[in-house]
Amino acid sequence: MSKLDQVVKDIVAEMQERSDRGEVATYIPELAGVDPKAFGLAVIDADGQLACGGDCDTSFSIQSISKVFTLTFALGMIGDRLWRRVGREPSGSPFNSIVQLERERGIPRNPFINAGAIVVTDLILSGHQPREALGEILRFLQFLADDSSITIDAAVAASENRTGFRNRALANYMKSFSVLENPVDFTLGVYFHHCAIAMSCRQLAMAGRFLAHHGRNPSTGLLVVQPERARRINAIMLTCGHYDGSGEFAYRVGLPGKSGVGGGILAIAPGRASIAVWSPGLDAAGNSHLGRLALEELTKRMGWSIFGGN
Ligand code: GLN
């Protein structure tokens, strides 16, 4: 058994034993019923070797992790012009906060808070029907993960559509500054659906490989994005990927990462591995409690923090 296999096995066993699991998100009613005891971890190294354990093949709602892929896709469509409509500074605010938008005239701080991700979705939607835009996003994820079985959980999307009052407020507010081009309901429809994409840790780790390997899928050798773009997306994941918990995540884990309220985290060890972890219970900032702890242990034991040491 390789060192990585052993470390993953130990961490999964340790996490499954813990009783401090955080709180499962309930503001999207469909997510409230997810088993808080679930735990999965998948790591794919530079040679394509997979180490995984626990519920690593169970699908969960990727929620805001989809924002990494919509950002990548939108940059591919319009390049750096994207940065005219959204910033790239940490917000220091919760994921669904509205306060900065007024001061900053409807321009969201970064593409990973809800407001910023809604703008990115609006960019992808322009010139398309909502169904087409959604199909493009889903196919991009299927391509990255090399898995055409990935789908959208329609019940989760409908559940968020019914209760997404905050996101409606954010979108309408930005629309008042003409930051959104499309009808608010169209943009939000696409946004709720890409947040509702369901994937397992194994599929998610597969989809993240290009970020760990200078923009290239290491098994096919295909360039997904230029190395410079992969580096920059990783930088935004490090600084903004966990909302107002981003500093703490960098301090404890030391990797670019993106969380979702479904309890998943995609983390990138540049040059080394793509990692996905899932534990549905969240901390106060809306990030997976045990997911973060597991990643902290993984980077410590493997010496993978981008800041060196362990
Ligand atoms: N769809 C969720 C929302 O907009 C995503 C939030 C998250 O995962 N942090 O509230």
Side-chain angles (χ1 to χ4, degrees):
M1 191 182 262
S2 72
K3 176 175 180 197
L4 178 61
D5 283 326
Q6 186 65 53
V7 166
V8 166
K9 190 164 172 253
D10 292 349
I11 292 174
V12 169
E14 288 160 26
M15 294 299 144
Q16 283 172 335
E17 297 245 303
R18 289 183 75 120
S19 55
D20 57 323
R21 306 193 83 86
E23 297 293 327
V24 174
T26 52
Y27 78 99
I28 302 175
E30 194 68 23
L31 294 182
V34 178
D35 179 8
K37 293 210 180 64
F39 182 89
L41 176 61
V43 184
I44 302 177
D45 70 11
D47 301 322
Q49 293 298 316
L50 169 80
C52 73
D55 303 305
C56 66
D57 283 313
T58 306
S59 291
F60 60 91
S61 194
I62 67 169
Q63 291 296 322
S64 287
I65 304 171
S66 64
K67 296 169 183 177
V68 174
F69 304 105
T70 49
L71 173 65
T72 306
F73 192 78
L75 283 168
M77 283 173 72
I78 67 159
D80 284 340
R81 276 183 296 146
L82 178 139
W83 302 117
R84 293 186 197 155
R85 303 227 336 243
V86 59
R88 44 176 191 261
E89 291 296 341
S91 66
S93 308
F95 65 91
N96 55 5
S97 169
I98 198 166
V99 288
Q100 280 164 348
L101 277 181
E102 181 166 21
R103 273 201 300 276
E104 299 173 10
R105 303 200 54 76
I107 302 289
R109 272 287 172 97
N110 68 66
F112 292 158
I113 51 174
N114 286 10
I118 292 168
V119 171
V120 171
T121 303
D122 187 69
L123 282 164
I124 296 174
L125 176 57
S126 289
H128 297 87
Q129 291 301 318
R131 189 172 288 277
E132 291 170 345
L134 200 55
E136 296 276 351
I137 295 167
L138 184 62
R139 278 191 296 278
F140 183 52
L141 263 165
Q142 292 172 338
F143 158 74
L144 291 174
D146 193 16
D147 191 334
S148 58
S149 72
I150 296 167
T151 52
I152 295 169
D153 186 331
V156 172
S159 178
E160 186 167 12
N161 198 14
R162 273 196 301 278
T163 56
F165 303 110
R166 281 250 196 167
N167 286 323
R168 281 220 159 72
L170 291 170
N172 279 299
Y173 197 69
M174 291 189 288
K175 185 78 177 168
S176 76
F177 287 99
S178 304
V179 173
L180 299 186
E181 282 176 356
N182 300 283
V184 164
D185 279 342
F186 282 21
T187 302
L188 284 178
V190 177
Y191 171 79
F192 292 145
H193 280 82
H194 73 62
C195 287
I197 291 173
M199 291 170 79
S200 66
C201 288
R202 183 199 298 254
Q203 290 168 327
L204 204 51
M206 287 285 281
R209 285 169 307 170
F210 74 100
L211 290 170
H213 303 290
H214 310 284
R216 200 176 288 281
N217 176 333
S219 54
T220 60
L222 285 177
L223 198 63
V224 178
V225 297
Q226 291 294 336
E228 181 181 62
R229 182 160 290 162
R231 170 170 64 75
R232 289 172 163 172
I233 293 168
N234 282 331
I236 302 168
M237 287 172 75
L238 182 78
T239 52
C240 311
H242 283 72
Y243 317 106
D244 45 343
S246 299
E248 188 69 7
F249 189 82
Y251 180 84
R252 292 191 175 275
V253 177
L255 296 179
K258 181 75 205 83
S259 67
V261 289
I265 303 175
L266 171 67
I268 303 299
R272 293 186 158 123
S274 173
I275 307 155
V277 63
W278 173 52
S279 172
L282 309 179
D283 63 18
N287 302 312
S288 174
H289 172 65
L290 287 190
R292 201 258 289 141
L293 277 178
L295 290 170
E296 185 175 354
E297 287 306 319
L298 182 72
T299 49
K300 236 191 245 174
R301 294 179 202 183
M302 295 305 294
W304 277 356
S305 164
I306 61 169
F307 302 109
N310 47 19

